[in-house]
Short mmCIF file of all heavy atoms in Angstrom, two decimals:
data_model
loop_
_atom_site.label_atom_id
_atom_site.label_comp_id
_atom_site.label_asym_id
_atom_site.label_seq_id
_atom_site.Cartn_x
_atom_site.Cartn_y
_atom_site.Cartn_z
N ILE A 1 -0.49 -8.95 2.34
CA ILE A 1 -0.23 -7.73 3.13
C ILE A 1 0.36 -8.17 4.45
O ILE A 1 -0.04 -9.19 5.02
CB ILE A 1 -1.50 -6.90 3.32
CG1 ILE A 1 -1.17 -5.56 3.96
CG2 ILE A 1 -2.58 -7.63 4.10
CD1 ILE A 1 -2.34 -4.58 3.98
N SER A 2 1.28 -7.38 4.99
CA SER A 2 1.91 -7.63 6.28
C SER A 2 2.29 -6.31 6.89
O SER A 2 2.26 -5.28 6.23
CB SER A 2 3.07 -8.61 6.18
OG SER A 2 4.08 -8.06 5.37
N ARG A 3 2.66 -6.33 8.17
CA ARG A 3 3.11 -5.10 8.82
C ARG A 3 4.14 -5.40 9.88
O ARG A 3 4.21 -6.50 10.44
CB ARG A 3 1.91 -4.37 9.44
CG ARG A 3 1.20 -5.07 10.56
CD ARG A 3 -0.07 -4.38 10.93
NE ARG A 3 0.18 -3.10 11.61
CZ ARG A 3 -0.76 -2.18 11.86
NH1 ARG A 3 -2.03 -2.41 11.48
NH2 ARG A 3 -0.48 -1.08 12.47
N ASP A 4 4.94 -4.39 10.14
CA ASP A 4 5.93 -4.41 11.24
C ASP A 4 5.56 -3.30 12.17
O ASP A 4 5.84 -2.14 11.91
CB ASP A 4 7.35 -4.20 10.69
CG ASP A 4 8.42 -4.31 11.74
OD1 ASP A 4 8.12 -4.18 12.95
OD2 ASP A 4 9.57 -4.55 11.36
N ASN A 5 4.92 -3.64 13.28
CA ASN A 5 4.41 -2.61 14.19
C ASN A 5 5.53 -1.82 14.87
O ASN A 5 5.40 -0.66 15.24
CB ASN A 5 3.49 -3.26 15.26
CG ASN A 5 2.17 -3.68 14.68
OD1 ASN A 5 1.76 -3.20 13.64
ND2 ASN A 5 1.50 -4.59 15.40
N ALA A 6 6.68 -2.46 15.09
CA ALA A 6 7.81 -1.78 15.71
C ALA A 6 8.31 -0.64 14.86
O ALA A 6 8.88 0.33 15.36
CB ALA A 6 8.94 -2.78 16.04
N LYS A 7 8.15 -0.78 13.55
CA LYS A 7 8.60 0.23 12.57
C LYS A 7 7.47 1.01 11.95
O LYS A 7 7.71 1.85 11.05
CB LYS A 7 9.44 -0.41 11.48
CG LYS A 7 10.72 -1.07 12.02
CD LYS A 7 11.52 -1.74 10.90
CE LYS A 7 12.78 -2.34 11.42
NZ LYS A 7 13.59 -2.98 10.33
N ASN A 8 6.23 0.73 12.36
CA ASN A 8 5.03 1.38 11.82
C ASN A 8 5.06 1.34 10.28
O ASN A 8 4.82 2.35 9.59
CB ASN A 8 4.96 2.86 12.28
CG ASN A 8 4.48 2.94 13.70
OD1 ASN A 8 3.68 2.14 14.18
ND2 ASN A 8 4.97 3.99 14.40
N THR A 9 5.31 0.17 9.76
CA THR A 9 5.44 -0.04 8.33
C THR A 9 4.51 -1.14 7.87
O THR A 9 4.38 -2.21 8.52
CB THR A 9 6.87 -0.40 7.97
OG1 THR A 9 7.72 0.69 8.37
CG2 THR A 9 6.99 -0.56 6.45
N VAL A 10 3.81 -0.92 6.74
CA VAL A 10 3.00 -1.93 6.09
C VAL A 10 3.61 -2.29 4.77
O VAL A 10 4.17 -1.43 4.06
CB VAL A 10 1.54 -1.44 5.94
CG1 VAL A 10 1.45 -0.22 5.04
CG2 VAL A 10 0.62 -2.58 5.44
N PHE A 11 3.50 -3.55 4.39
CA PHE A 11 4.06 -4.04 3.15
C PHE A 11 2.97 -4.68 2.27
O PHE A 11 1.94 -5.14 2.75
CB PHE A 11 5.13 -5.12 3.43
CG PHE A 11 6.19 -4.68 4.36
CD1 PHE A 11 6.12 -4.94 5.74
CD2 PHE A 11 7.31 -3.98 3.90
CE1 PHE A 11 7.10 -4.55 6.58
CE2 PHE A 11 8.31 -3.58 4.75
CZ PHE A 11 8.21 -3.85 6.10
N LEU A 12 3.22 -4.71 0.97
CA LEU A 12 2.36 -5.43 0.07
C LEU A 12 3.24 -6.23 -0.88
O LEU A 12 3.93 -5.66 -1.72
CB LEU A 12 1.50 -4.46 -0.73
CG LEU A 12 0.43 -5.14 -1.65
CD1 LEU A 12 -0.62 -5.84 -0.80
CD2 LEU A 12 -0.19 -4.12 -2.58
N GLN A 13 3.26 -7.55 -0.72
CA GLN A 13 3.98 -8.44 -1.62
C GLN A 13 3.05 -8.80 -2.76
O GLN A 13 2.00 -9.39 -2.53
CB GLN A 13 4.44 -9.70 -0.87
CG GLN A 13 5.16 -10.71 -1.70
CD GLN A 13 6.50 -10.18 -2.22
OE1 GLN A 13 7.27 -9.63 -1.47
NE2 GLN A 13 6.74 -10.34 -3.49
N MET A 14 3.43 -8.49 -3.97
CA MET A 14 2.61 -8.71 -5.14
C MET A 14 3.31 -9.71 -6.03
O MET A 14 4.40 -9.48 -6.55
CB MET A 14 2.38 -7.40 -5.92
CG MET A 14 1.79 -6.28 -5.06
SD MET A 14 1.41 -4.79 -6.01
CE MET A 14 3.08 -4.29 -6.47
N ASN A 15 2.65 -10.86 -6.20
CA ASN A 15 3.18 -11.95 -7.06
C ASN A 15 2.22 -12.19 -8.21
O ASN A 15 1.07 -11.78 -8.19
CB ASN A 15 3.34 -13.23 -6.23
CG ASN A 15 4.32 -13.07 -5.09
OD1 ASN A 15 5.31 -12.39 -5.22
ND2 ASN A 15 4.08 -13.78 -3.99
N SER A 16 2.72 -12.92 -9.21
CA SER A 16 1.92 -13.29 -10.37
C SER A 16 1.22 -12.06 -10.96
O SER A 16 0.02 -12.09 -11.27
CB SER A 16 0.91 -14.37 -10.01
OG SER A 16 1.55 -15.49 -9.53
N LEU A 17 1.93 -11.00 -11.15
CA LEU A 17 1.36 -9.72 -11.58
C LEU A 17 0.76 -9.83 -12.97
O LEU A 17 1.35 -10.50 -13.86
CB LEU A 17 2.37 -8.61 -11.50
CG LEU A 17 2.64 -8.12 -10.06
CD1 LEU A 17 3.96 -7.36 -10.01
CD2 LEU A 17 1.49 -7.20 -9.62
N LYS A 18 -0.34 -9.14 -13.19
CA LYS A 18 -1.06 -9.13 -14.42
C LYS A 18 -1.09 -7.71 -14.97
O LYS A 18 -0.88 -6.74 -14.26
CB LYS A 18 -2.52 -9.59 -14.24
CG LYS A 18 -2.62 -10.98 -13.64
CD LYS A 18 -4.10 -11.33 -13.37
CE LYS A 18 -4.25 -12.69 -12.74
NZ LYS A 18 -5.68 -13.01 -12.50
N LEU A 19 -1.38 -7.57 -16.27
CA LEU A 19 -1.46 -6.25 -16.89
C LEU A 19 -2.45 -5.39 -16.18
O LEU A 19 -2.24 -4.17 -16.01
CB LEU A 19 -1.85 -6.40 -18.39
CG LEU A 19 -0.87 -7.12 -19.29
CD1 LEU A 19 -1.40 -7.14 -20.70
CD2 LEU A 19 0.50 -6.44 -19.26
N GLU A 20 -3.55 -5.96 -15.75
CA GLU A 20 -4.60 -5.18 -15.06
C GLU A 20 -4.26 -4.76 -13.67
O GLU A 20 -5.03 -4.03 -13.04
CB GLU A 20 -5.93 -5.98 -15.08
CG GLU A 20 -5.80 -7.41 -14.53
CD GLU A 20 -5.64 -8.42 -15.62
OE1 GLU A 20 -4.85 -8.17 -16.55
OE2 GLU A 20 -6.27 -9.46 -15.55
N ASP A 21 -3.10 -5.15 -13.13
CA ASP A 21 -2.61 -4.66 -11.86
C ASP A 21 -1.97 -3.30 -11.99
O ASP A 21 -1.63 -2.69 -10.96
CB ASP A 21 -1.65 -5.63 -11.23
CG ASP A 21 -2.28 -6.95 -10.83
OD1 ASP A 21 -3.41 -6.90 -10.30
OD2 ASP A 21 -1.66 -8.02 -11.04
N THR A 22 -1.76 -2.84 -13.22
CA THR A 22 -1.15 -1.51 -13.41
C THR A 22 -2.03 -0.43 -12.80
O THR A 22 -3.21 -0.33 -13.13
CB THR A 22 -0.96 -1.26 -14.90
OG1 THR A 22 -0.03 -2.19 -15.46
CG2 THR A 22 -0.45 0.14 -15.13
N ALA A 23 -1.41 0.37 -11.92
CA ALA A 23 -2.17 1.39 -11.18
C ALA A 23 -1.23 2.18 -10.33
O ALA A 23 -0.07 1.80 -10.13
CB ALA A 23 -3.28 0.77 -10.33
N VAL A 24 -1.71 3.28 -9.77
CA VAL A 24 -1.04 3.97 -8.66
C VAL A 24 -1.55 3.35 -7.39
O VAL A 24 -2.76 3.26 -7.16
CB VAL A 24 -1.27 5.46 -8.69
CG1 VAL A 24 -0.61 6.13 -7.50
CG2 VAL A 24 -0.75 6.06 -10.00
N TYR A 25 -0.64 2.88 -6.53
CA TYR A 25 -1.00 2.28 -5.28
C TYR A 25 -0.80 3.23 -4.12
O TYR A 25 0.26 3.83 -3.98
CB TYR A 25 -0.16 1.00 -5.06
CG TYR A 25 -0.54 -0.14 -5.94
CD1 TYR A 25 -0.35 -0.13 -7.30
CD2 TYR A 25 -1.16 -1.28 -5.37
CE1 TYR A 25 -0.75 -1.18 -8.11
CE2 TYR A 25 -1.58 -2.33 -6.19
CZ TYR A 25 -1.37 -2.29 -7.56
OH TYR A 25 -1.77 -3.29 -8.34
N TYR A 26 -1.82 3.39 -3.34
CA TYR A 26 -1.85 4.31 -2.17
C TYR A 26 -1.99 3.53 -0.86
O TYR A 26 -2.90 2.73 -0.73
CB TYR A 26 -2.99 5.29 -2.28
CG TYR A 26 -2.95 6.21 -3.51
CD1 TYR A 26 -3.58 5.84 -4.68
CD2 TYR A 26 -2.28 7.39 -3.46
CE1 TYR A 26 -3.57 6.66 -5.79
CE2 TYR A 26 -2.23 8.24 -4.57
CZ TYR A 26 -2.89 7.84 -5.72
OH TYR A 26 -2.87 8.67 -6.83
N CYS A 27 -1.13 3.78 0.07
CA CYS A 27 -1.28 3.21 1.38
C CYS A 27 -2.04 4.16 2.29
O CYS A 27 -2.11 5.37 2.03
CB CYS A 27 0.05 2.83 2.03
SG CYS A 27 1.10 4.21 2.40
N TYR A 28 -2.66 3.61 3.33
CA TYR A 28 -3.30 4.44 4.33
C TYR A 28 -3.01 3.91 5.71
O TYR A 28 -2.64 2.74 5.88
CB TYR A 28 -4.83 4.52 4.08
CG TYR A 28 -5.56 3.25 4.47
CD1 TYR A 28 -5.99 3.05 5.80
CD2 TYR A 28 -5.84 2.26 3.53
CE1 TYR A 28 -6.67 1.87 6.16
CE2 TYR A 28 -6.51 1.12 3.91
CZ TYR A 28 -6.92 0.91 5.23
OH TYR A 28 -7.62 -0.21 5.54
N ALA A 29 -3.21 4.76 6.71
CA ALA A 29 -3.06 4.37 8.10
C ALA A 29 -4.05 5.10 8.93
O ALA A 29 -4.38 6.29 8.71
CB ALA A 29 -1.65 4.69 8.59
N GLU A 30 -4.60 4.42 9.91
CA GLU A 30 -5.59 4.95 10.83
C GLU A 30 -4.94 5.30 12.18
O GLU A 30 -4.18 4.51 12.71
CB GLU A 30 -6.74 4.00 11.06
CG GLU A 30 -7.46 3.61 9.81
CD GLU A 30 -8.45 2.47 10.01
OE1 GLU A 30 -8.39 1.84 11.08
OE2 GLU A 30 -9.25 2.23 9.10
N GLN A 31 -5.26 6.49 12.69
CA GLN A 31 -4.82 6.90 14.01
C GLN A 31 -5.98 7.63 14.66
O GLN A 31 -6.46 8.64 14.15
CB GLN A 31 -3.58 7.79 13.95
CG GLN A 31 -3.04 8.09 15.32
CD GLN A 31 -2.14 9.30 15.33
OE1 GLN A 31 -2.61 10.42 15.15
NE2 GLN A 31 -0.87 9.10 15.52
N LEU A 32 -6.46 7.13 15.78
CA LEU A 32 -7.66 7.64 16.43
C LEU A 32 -8.79 7.65 15.40
O LEU A 32 -9.10 6.64 14.84
CB LEU A 32 -7.36 9.01 17.03
CG LEU A 32 -6.25 9.06 18.11
CD1 LEU A 32 -6.06 10.48 18.57
CD2 LEU A 32 -6.63 8.16 19.27
N THR A 33 -9.40 8.82 15.17
CA THR A 33 -10.47 8.89 14.23
C THR A 33 -10.06 9.36 12.82
O THR A 33 -10.88 9.55 11.92
CB THR A 33 -11.56 9.87 14.73
OG1 THR A 33 -11.02 11.19 14.88
CG2 THR A 33 -12.12 9.39 16.05
N ASN A 34 -8.71 9.49 12.63
CA ASN A 34 -8.23 10.04 11.37
C ASN A 34 -7.70 8.95 10.47
O ASN A 34 -7.24 7.92 10.93
CB ASN A 34 -7.12 11.09 11.66
CG ASN A 34 -7.59 12.22 12.48
OD1 ASN A 34 -7.05 12.50 13.58
ND2 ASN A 34 -8.62 12.92 12.02
N VAL A 35 -7.73 9.25 9.17
CA VAL A 35 -7.13 8.37 8.16
C VAL A 35 -6.12 9.23 7.37
O VAL A 35 -6.46 10.29 6.87
CB VAL A 35 -8.18 7.80 7.21
CG1 VAL A 35 -7.48 6.91 6.14
CG2 VAL A 35 -9.19 6.99 8.00
N TYR A 36 -4.90 8.69 7.23
CA TYR A 36 -3.85 9.38 6.52
C TYR A 36 -3.46 8.56 5.27
O TYR A 36 -3.49 7.31 5.29
CB TYR A 36 -2.65 9.60 7.43
CG TYR A 36 -2.97 10.41 8.63
CD1 TYR A 36 -3.36 9.80 9.82
CD2 TYR A 36 -2.88 11.80 8.60
CE1 TYR A 36 -3.68 10.56 10.94
CE2 TYR A 36 -3.21 12.58 9.69
CZ TYR A 36 -3.61 11.95 10.86
OH TYR A 36 -3.93 12.69 11.99
N TRP A 37 -3.07 9.28 4.24
CA TRP A 37 -2.75 8.63 2.94
C TRP A 37 -1.32 8.90 2.52
O TRP A 37 -0.76 9.97 2.72
CB TRP A 37 -3.70 9.13 1.86
CG TRP A 37 -5.09 8.72 2.09
CD1 TRP A 37 -6.07 9.37 2.75
CD2 TRP A 37 -5.69 7.52 1.57
NE1 TRP A 37 -7.24 8.64 2.72
CE2 TRP A 37 -7.04 7.48 2.02
CE3 TRP A 37 -5.24 6.43 0.83
CZ2 TRP A 37 -7.91 6.47 1.70
CZ3 TRP A 37 -6.08 5.41 0.53
CH2 TRP A 37 -7.41 5.41 0.95
N GLY A 38 -0.70 7.90 1.87
CA GLY A 38 0.58 8.09 1.27
C GLY A 38 0.51 8.81 -0.06
O GLY A 38 -0.60 9.13 -0.57
N GLN A 39 1.67 9.12 -0.62
CA GLN A 39 1.72 9.95 -1.83
C GLN A 39 1.41 9.14 -3.11
O GLN A 39 1.19 9.74 -4.16
CB GLN A 39 3.08 10.61 -1.99
CG GLN A 39 4.20 9.71 -2.52
CD GLN A 39 4.82 8.74 -1.53
OE1 GLN A 39 4.34 8.60 -0.41
NE2 GLN A 39 5.89 8.09 -1.94
N GLY A 40 1.38 7.82 -3.02
CA GLY A 40 1.16 6.96 -4.15
C GLY A 40 2.45 6.52 -4.79
O GLY A 40 3.46 7.27 -4.87
N THR A 41 2.46 5.29 -5.26
CA THR A 41 3.60 4.78 -6.03
C THR A 41 3.10 4.02 -7.23
O THR A 41 2.15 3.25 -7.17
CB THR A 41 4.48 3.86 -5.12
OG1 THR A 41 5.69 3.50 -5.84
CG2 THR A 41 3.75 2.64 -4.68
N GLN A 42 3.70 4.30 -8.38
CA GLN A 42 3.27 3.70 -9.67
C GLN A 42 3.78 2.29 -9.81
O GLN A 42 4.96 1.99 -9.62
CB GLN A 42 3.78 4.57 -10.83
CG GLN A 42 3.46 3.99 -12.19
CD GLN A 42 1.98 4.09 -12.54
OE1 GLN A 42 1.35 3.06 -12.93
NE2 GLN A 42 1.38 5.25 -12.36
N VAL A 43 2.83 1.41 -10.16
CA VAL A 43 3.15 0.02 -10.51
C VAL A 43 2.69 -0.19 -11.95
O VAL A 43 1.54 -0.01 -12.25
CB VAL A 43 2.50 -1.01 -9.59
CG1 VAL A 43 2.69 -2.43 -10.13
CG2 VAL A 43 3.02 -0.89 -8.19
N THR A 44 3.63 -0.53 -12.82
CA THR A 44 3.31 -0.78 -14.22
C THR A 44 3.71 -2.17 -14.60
O THR A 44 4.90 -2.55 -14.47
CB THR A 44 4.06 0.23 -15.12
OG1 THR A 44 3.71 1.56 -14.78
CG2 THR A 44 3.70 0.00 -16.57
N VAL A 45 2.73 -2.95 -15.05
CA VAL A 45 2.96 -4.32 -15.52
C VAL A 45 2.84 -4.32 -17.05
O VAL A 45 1.77 -4.01 -17.56
CB VAL A 45 1.97 -5.28 -14.91
CG1 VAL A 45 2.30 -6.71 -15.33
CG2 VAL A 45 1.96 -5.17 -13.38
N SER A 46 3.92 -4.61 -17.72
CA SER A 46 3.96 -4.53 -19.17
C SER A 46 4.90 -5.51 -19.72
O SER A 46 6.01 -5.74 -19.15
CB SER A 46 4.32 -3.08 -19.60
OG SER A 46 4.43 -2.99 -21.01
#
């Protein structure tokens, strides 16, 4: 995991992917006391 604070962006580099990594991946971000969620992105390993 890494981030670019100037662009308010977080990354997830996924290597050596396995079948069991198949899932919907959701990002989150904290601001003050709140937590916000992304819409989800599908990762399918097959």
Side-chain angles (χ1 to χ4, degrees):
I1 188 171
S2 61
R3 65 190 290 170
D4 184 340
N5 287 340
K7 298 180 179 180
N8 284 328
T9 301
V10 63
F11 306 94
L12 185 68
Q13 179 66 47
M14 304 185 294
N15 298 326
S16 302
L17 283 161
K18 304 175 180 179
L19 296 179
E20 51 264 43
D21 293 319
T22 296
V24 178
Y25 285 70
Y26 298 92
C27 66
Y28 75 85
E30 300 171 348
Q31 187 200 69
L32 299 178
T33 61
N34 301 122
V35 179
Y36 300 92
W37 292 91
Q39 81 280 9
T41 185
Q42 175 71 231
V43 172
T44 301
V45 184
S46 177

